[in-house]
Amino acid sequence: QVQLVESGGGLVQPGGSLRLSCAASGFALSALAIGWFRQAPEKEREGVLCISTSSVRSLYDDSVKGRFTISRDNAKNTVYLQMDSLKPEDTAVYFCAADRSGYGYCPQSEDDFTLWGQGTQVTVSS
């Protein structure tokens, strides 16, 4: 079954860290650009970061610059989102998604991401 599964979410205090994982099954994640997105309560989903097949990073949200890092481990068929210096405004459901076009680079539009995981909740609160 072709799918993406996120894990690693939870409750963390402001200033803390979490590492989210996006594990692929049924296909080789190394062949696709993978993005992380998030949706806060009553807000639209927004892009966070993306990593191309050649590990070029694309930043979609300036608010995470210097705090969040995206990486991939092709041997484990997994992409990670390392989140440091977390803030309450980072609270959201985080999703990973794949661009199955095969181009390999990170697309400009969220519409190009056609395979989505179910999401993992991240709550930043004291």
Side-chain angles (χ1 to χ4, degrees):
Q1 184 178 3
V2 173
Q3 62 178 356
L4 295 170
V5 178
E6 302 94 336
S7 62
L11 173 65
V12 63
Q13 292 187 342
S17 298
L18 281 176
R19 188 177 77 159
L20 305 184
S21 298
C22 172
S25 61
F27 70 99
L29 186 146
S30 61
L32 304 178
I34 303 295
W36 280 99
F37 297 79
R38 64 184 179 183
Q39 186 167 20
E42 301 182 358
K43 291 188 176 181
E44 292 189 357
R45 188 168 60 195
E46 61 180 7
V48 179
L49 281 165
C50 175
I51 188 165
S52 73
T53 54
S54 56
S55 292
V56 174
R57 280 80 169 172
S58 295
L59 178 68
Y60 291 144
D61 183 354
D62 284 341
S63 73
V64 308
K65 189 175 182 179
R67 300 189 299 121
F68 291 12
T69 305
I70 190 170
S71 63
R72 62 164 74 229
D73 185 336
N74 292 334
K76 294 183 178 180
N77 220 23
T78 301
V79 167
Y80 302 99
L81 183 67
Q82 178 67 40
M83 305 186 296
D84 299 317
S85 303
L86 282 161
K87 304 175 181 180
E89 51 264 42
D90 294 319
T91 295
V93 178
Y94 283 73
F95 302 87
C96 64
D99 171 10
R100 293 185 285 184
S101 69
Y103 292 126
Y105 55 80
C106 289
Q108 299 267 352
S109 172
E110 180 179 316
D111 293 341
D112 291 322
F113 291 91
T114 56
L115 177 64
W116 291 80
Q118 83 290 347
T120 186
Q121 176 70 47
V122 171
T123 302
V124 185
S125 175
S126 56

